[in-house]
């Protein structure tokens, strides 16, 4: 309200239209909000909306970006605060690489920034950068490489180019040259039996391509409170780090992956104790299949689509040995002793090695025996019979493979456990690296049902040393260069394929050839048609 003076000298109140409307509450400033330098003009200025672009420009001006030390950044370990051990709201200090909780006043990250003068932090969940203790967000494209190392992202085009011949080598922060996918894995104490399986599976193309894109499994339906799905997420994260072309270092630590393995295997597989790779492989594939909501159907999960084969098992019960021939013939005529067949699926094939010689030869030395792989595979030709004994009954079984999977896993049984100790069979298995024909063990009927029966080796796991105290290493094929590499924990070296066949192979993974090799006419064979003619 203003006071106006009329010409007659009488004062009159005139309403001020710029003031508040009658009946509306008038906001009075608090005393503490008014500073000593505030004036009436500042109170009447309307609030100006801050332009997001201007705020972004201000947030970019961080003077501490040059303090970031990429040599110390390691996102492979569990994302928990190094002080409070909590997993909630964890930030990584980009100067020293340690993890701390929170960024507000009195939090561990705030205290660390003040005490150590480390100012740049990364939220491990939201992938946002902050400057502490000033507590403003940093937006700078020069930090995108750190985001990519923490969470690598692959497109379909990137995955298609992984196996192409023009695949480029990558360089780490310290200048080390490495090929994506051919990086060592840290052995925390005695987890090399897990490392070789994870390395081998990372070079199985359908498995790799599926887990490199997180959305392939992110929307899998699972019951409420089911935390076992963490195993699938950790495996996907590990594969993306192994194939990351922009790693800061040329090795990966499987710490988070192994923590999930120890937890969800109920401590059956430990980081601190040596284990059996075939047991871990069997458990791991079944766990992935189960968490991806797979069932018994061949196409229900990526595990079944890749590794699941089918066979018929023929079982015949044997009569007790203490009976005479007449009694045996009478028993063999009964239904109980007739041959029975059942259809079963398999994820890997167990190959039995022949027994090692007990005595030394005439040169007073033990020669390591050798056996051809085709002799071991003859077990599955539907003709060879093998005796299996239980504590009271004996059976004869023969196996007929009816469907070959895209990838065949062979388990060469080297360890025999008896009452007293564990024995290792050192027999060398002679196997071809390319063009192994599994059609030789199929029946004619089953062979006609398979268009391709030739396979190439893509991974080979080897055991060295004593049964319980030995170590494991693996050989993998880099398809882009057609070069074989030997991996033993952090050590990665190139190797000739001729040297692979001289090792004590334990587990092998073969990939089905989708087309005939271009190496000459030798790879082309006549394919029998359904009517028996040749084409």
């Amino acid at each position: 309200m203003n006071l106006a003076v009329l010409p007659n000298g009488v004062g009159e109140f005139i309403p001020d239209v710029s003031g508040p409307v009658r009946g509306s509450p008038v906001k009075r400033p608090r005393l503490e909000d008014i500073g000593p330098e505030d004036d009436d003009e500042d109170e009447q200025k309307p609030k100006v909306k801050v332009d997001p672009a201007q705020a972004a420009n201000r947030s970019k001006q961080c003077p501490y970006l040059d303090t970031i030390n990429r040599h110390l950044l390691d996102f492979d370990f569990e994302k928990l605060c190094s002080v409070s051990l909590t997993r909630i709201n964890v930030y990584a200090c980009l100067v020293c690489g340690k993890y701390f909780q929170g960024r507000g006043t009195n939090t561990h990250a705030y205290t660390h920034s003040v005490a150590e003068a480390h100012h740049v932090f990364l939220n491990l969940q939201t992938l946002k950068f902050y400057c502490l203790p000033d507590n403003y967000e940093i937006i700078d494209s020069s930090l995108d490489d750190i985001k990519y190392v923490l969470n690598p992202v692959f497109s379909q085009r990137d995955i298609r180019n992984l196996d192409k011949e023009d695949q480029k080598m990558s360089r780490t922060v310290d200048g080390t040259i490495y090929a994506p996918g051919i990086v060592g894995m840290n052995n925390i104490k005695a987890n090399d039996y897990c490392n070789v399986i994870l390395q081998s599976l990372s070079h199985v193309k359908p498995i790799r391509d599926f887990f490199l894109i997180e959305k392939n499994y992110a929307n899998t339906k699972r019951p409420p409170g089911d935390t076992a799905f963490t195993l699938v997420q950790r495996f996907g994260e590990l594969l993306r780090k192994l194939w990351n072309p922009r790693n800061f270092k040329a090795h990966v630590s499987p710490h988070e992956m192994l923590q999930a393995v120890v937890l969800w295997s109920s401590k059956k597989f430990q980081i601190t104790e040596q284990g059996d790779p075939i047991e871990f492989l069997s458990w791991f594939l079944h766990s992935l299949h189960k968490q991806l909501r797979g069932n018994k159907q061949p196409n229900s999960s990526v595990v079944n689509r890749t590794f699941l084969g089918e066979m018929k098992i023929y079982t015949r019960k044997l009569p007790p040995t203490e009976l005479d021939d007449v009694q045996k013939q009478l028993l063999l005529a009964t239904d109980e002793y007739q041959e029975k067949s059942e259809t079963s699926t398999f994820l890997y094939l167990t190959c039995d090695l022949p027994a090692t010689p007990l005595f030394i030869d005439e040169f007073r030395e033990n020669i390591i025996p050798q056996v051809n792989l085709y002799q071991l595979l003859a077990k599955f030709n539907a003709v060879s019979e093998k005796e299996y004994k239980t504590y009271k009954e004996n059976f004869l079984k023969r196996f007929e493979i009816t469907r070959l999977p895209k990838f065949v896993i062979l388990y060469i049984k080297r360890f025999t456990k008896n009452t007293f100790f564990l024995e290792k069979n050192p027999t060398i298995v002679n196997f071809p690296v390319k063009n192994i024909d599994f059609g030789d063990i199929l029946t004619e009927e089953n062979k006609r049902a398979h268009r391709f029966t030739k396979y190439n080796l893509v991974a080979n796991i080897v055991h060295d040393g004593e049964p319980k105290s030995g170590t494991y290493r693996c050989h993998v094929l880099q398809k882009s260069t057609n070069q074989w590499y030997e991996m033993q924990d952090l050590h990665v070296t190139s190797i000739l394929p001729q040297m692979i066949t001289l090792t004590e192979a334990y587990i092998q993974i073969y990939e089905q050839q989708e087309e005939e090799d271009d190496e000459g006419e030798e790879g082309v064979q006549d394919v029998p048609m359904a009517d028996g003619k040749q084409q």
Side-chain angles (χ1 to χ4, degrees), residues 192-194 196-197 268-269 274-286 347-351 409-415 461 463 472 506-509:
D192 53 336
Y193 73 100
C194 294
V196 292
I197 293 297
K268 179 181 179 181
F269 302 104
Q274 187 67 278
D276 192 345
I278 193 63
E279 291 182 5
F280 173 69
L281 175 65
S282 179
W283 172 84
F284 187 62
L285 291 180
H286 280 98
L347 288 175
Y348 61 86
L349 298 174
T350 303
C351 300
I409 302 177
L410 296 185
Y411 160 49
I412 301 171
K413 194 173 181 180
R414 289 197 175 274
F415 300 109
I461 296 174
H463 179 266
Y472 292 94
Y506 188 53
I507 300 173
Q508 296 181 325
I509 302 178

Side-chain angles (χ1 to χ4, degrees), residues 362-375:
E362 66 266 24
F363 298 107
R364 310 293 298 173
E365 60 182 12
N366 272 324
I367 298 177
I368 298 177
Q370 299 186 31
V371 64
N372 195 293
L373 182 61
Y374 286 102
Q375 292 177 243

Side-chain angles (χ1 to χ4, degrees), residues 238-254:
L238 179 65
L239 288 194
R240 288 193 290 276
K241 289 177 180 178
L242 286 173
W243 287 92
N244 184 4
R246 300 184 231 165
N247 270 332
F248 286 168
K249 55 191 187 309
H251 64 272
V252 172
S253 177

Side-chain angles (χ1 to χ4, degrees), residues 352-357 368-369 371 412-416 422-429 463 467 504-506:
D352 302 307
L353 289 173
T356 54
I368 298 177
V371 64
I412 301 171
K413 194 173 181 180
R414 289 197 175 274
F415 300 109
T416 306
L422 190 66
E423 290 180 328
K424 179 185 176 183
N425 190 329
T427 301
I428 298 293
V429 179
H463 179 266
E504 298 177 1
Y506 188 53

Side-chain angles (χ1 to χ4, degrees), residues 60 73 118 148 220 236 242 256 368 390 470 486 500 506 535:
K60 287 181 181 179
L73 299 184
H118 294 174
Y148 195 86
T220 304
L242 286 173
E256 281 190 295
I368 298 177
T390 63
E486 179 179 276
I500 298 175
Y506 188 53
Q535 66 175 11

Side-chain angles (χ1 to χ4, degrees), residues 54-86:
Q54 294 179 357
N57 289 330
R58 284 206 297 270
S59 63
K60 287 181 181 179
Q61 307 300 323
C62 180
Y64 303 110
L65 293 185
D66 59 343
T67 63
I68 297 175
N69 192 347
R70 286 170 171 79
H71 293 271
L72 298 179
L73 299 184
D74 191 348
F75 301 120
D76 294 341
F77 293 97
E78 209 168 356
K79 309 297 189 295
L80 48 82
C81 175
S82 58
V83 180
S84 62
L85 302 182
T86 182

Side-chain angles (χ1 to χ4, degrees), residues 150-272:
L150 176 58
N151 184 28
V153 179
F154 290 83
S155 65
Q156 292 288 357
R157 182 180 179 183
D158 296 333
I159 294 175
R160 284 194 301 268
N161 293 334
L162 288 177
D163 295 332
K164 289 189 176 180
E165 295 180 0
D166 57 350
Q167 179 70 14
K168 296 180 180 179
M169 301 291 284
S170 299
R171 186 189 297 271
T172 62
V173 173
D174 60 0
T176 305
I177 303 295
Y178 74 96
I182 310 295
V183 294
M185 289 177 66
N186 190 22
N187 188 353
I188 299 171
K189 186 174 182 182
N191 56 279
D192 53 336
Y193 73 100
C194 294
N195 287 357
V196 292
I197 293 297
L198 297 174
Q199 287 278 22
S200 300
L201 290 178
S202 72
H203 287 267
V204 176
K205 191 175 185 299
I207 297 290
R208 180 199 69 188
D209 295 355
F210 179 84
F211 283 97
L212 283 184
I213 299 181
E214 188 175 4
K215 67 179 182 181
N216 287 340
Y217 57 85
N219 297 324
T220 304
K221 293 182 179 180
R222 52 188 187 271
D226 180 22
T227 54
F229 193 75
T230 310
L231 194 70
V232 176
Q233 296 171 326
R234 294 289 178 264
F235 184 56
E237 291 171 5
L238 179 65
L239 288 194
R240 288 193 290 276
K241 289 177 180 178
L242 286 173
W243 287 92
N244 184 4
R246 300 184 231 165
N247 270 332
F248 286 168
K249 55 191 187 309
H251 64 272
V252 172
S253 177
H255 188 270
E256 281 190 295
M257 174 74 221
L258 296 177
Q259 288 282 73
V261 168
V262 173
L263 179 62
W264 298 114
S265 66
S266 302
K267 298 185 178 180
K268 179 181 179 181
F269 302 104
Q270 295 276 6
I271 301 175
T272 56

Side-chain angles (χ1 to χ4, degrees), residues 337-405:
Y337 287 84
Q338 299 301 311
E339 187 175 65
K340 299 177 177 62
S341 67
E342 61 174 338
T343 301
S344 176
T345 55
F346 65 88
L347 288 175
Y348 61 86
L349 298 174
T350 303
C351 300
D352 302 307
L353 289 173
T356 54
L358 296 175
F359 304 102
I360 57 177
D361 60 2
E362 66 266 24
F363 298 107
R364 310 293 298 173
E365 60 182 12
N366 272 324
I367 298 177
I368 298 177
Q370 299 186 31
V371 64
N372 195 293
L373 182 61
Y374 286 102
Q375 292 177 243
L376 304 183
L377 293 177
K379 169 184 176 181
F380 305 101
N381 61 7
V383 178
S384 301
E385 291 184 320
K386 182 175 173 59
E387 186 175 354
Y388 290 86
K389 298 180 180 180
T390 63
Y391 67 99
K392 64 176 183 178
E393 295 176 330
N394 295 347
F395 296 92
L396 274 180
K397 290 188 178 183
R398 57 190 180 94
F399 305 92
E400 176 190 348
I401 295 180
T402 56
R403 189 182 75 243
L404 287 170

